[in-house]
Amino acid sequence: MSKFYNSKGWRDRAAVLAGIFSFIIVLILPVFAQSNSTSQSTFQPSSVLDSSQRTGNIADILERSEFKSLNSALALAGLTDTLTQPGPLTIFAPTNQAFQKNGAVYRPLLQPQNKEKLARVLKYHLIASIVTDGDVNKGEVKTVEGSNVKISVTPEGVIINDNVKAIQPSIKASNGVIVRVDNLLLPPDL
């Protein structure tokens, strides 16, 4: 047996295995580091945004061009005043592209006879508190509409209800936080 441990072949195999192990560690560590920091950077508003982008309450900030569709829908549903309240609030704010992507669902809700359904869908995007890392760790949070949204952290980022991705960075408003999302959230029984 001492021949085996003293042989040059054994040392070469050990060196190759050590090299492979080190290479794998170098590849995996950044993935773990990224997944552990995702929820914090999504739900804690960025200090990178200049002050002109962060001025005002949620309703004021949603008047920006990136949220024109959401702003119009909130006005139709009579919910704009809700977003001027002191808060704190978190809104999962679909971008204009999210509304365009879901035109078949969204356009019928704009009809006068569907005002209550539209309000319900929009309230499902609103949380009556600031969403924290603790909420993310619990896996769900209750919306103003009354149902819960599921929140999970994946290697792709923060995912809401398995199909809606939070877009970083969030935006801080005087009465809460705006979390951009790439899709519409729909209540479970709608």
Side-chain angles (χ1 to χ4, degrees), residues 7-38:
S7 71
K8 183 178 184 217
W10 179 83
R11 283 180 277 174
D12 290 342
R13 285 190 293 272
V16 168
L17 287 174
I20 290 171
F21 181 73
S22 298
F23 181 72
I24 290 171
I25 294 298
V26 167
L27 291 177
I28 291 175
L29 281 179
V31 172
F32 285 121
Q34 177 185 0
S35 67
N36 288 336
S37 65
T38 302

Side-chain angles (χ1 to χ4, degrees), residues 92-115:
F92 296 117
T95 61
N96 293 333
Q97 293 81 12
F99 280 97
Q100 290 170 355
K101 185 167 50 171
N102 292 283
V105 172
Y106 171 63
R107 279 188 213 99
L109 293 174
L110 299 177
Q111 300 301 317
Q113 67 270 21
N114 293 326
K115 181 179 178 179

Side-chain angles (χ1 to χ4, degrees), residues 126-151:
L126 187 60
I127 313 300
S129 64
I130 300 293
V131 175
T132 65
D133 292 339
D135 296 321
V136 173
N137 291 336
K138 283 190 270 182
E140 63 182 29
V141 64
K142 190 173 193 98
T143 68
V144 170
E145 181 267 342
S147 303
N148 290 339
V149 290
K150 178 181 162 190
I151 302 174

Side-chain angles (χ1 to χ4, degrees), residues 70-126:
L70 176 59
N71 198 39
S72 296
L74 288 163
L76 280 173
L79 295 174
T80 304
D81 286 343
T82 303
L83 301 177
T84 64
Q85 301 302 314
L89 303 167
T90 299
I91 186 165
F92 296 117
T95 61
N96 293 333
Q97 293 81 12
F99 280 97
Q100 290 170 355
K101 185 167 50 171
N102 292 283
V105 172
Y106 171 63
R107 279 188 213 99
L109 293 174
L110 299 177
Q111 300 301 317
Q113 67 270 21
N114 293 326
K115 181 179 178 179
E116 286 182 30
K117 281 185 185 176
L118 176 63
R120 190 164 164 237
V121 167
L122 295 172
K123 287 178 182 179
Y124 191 63
H125 289 78
L126 187 60

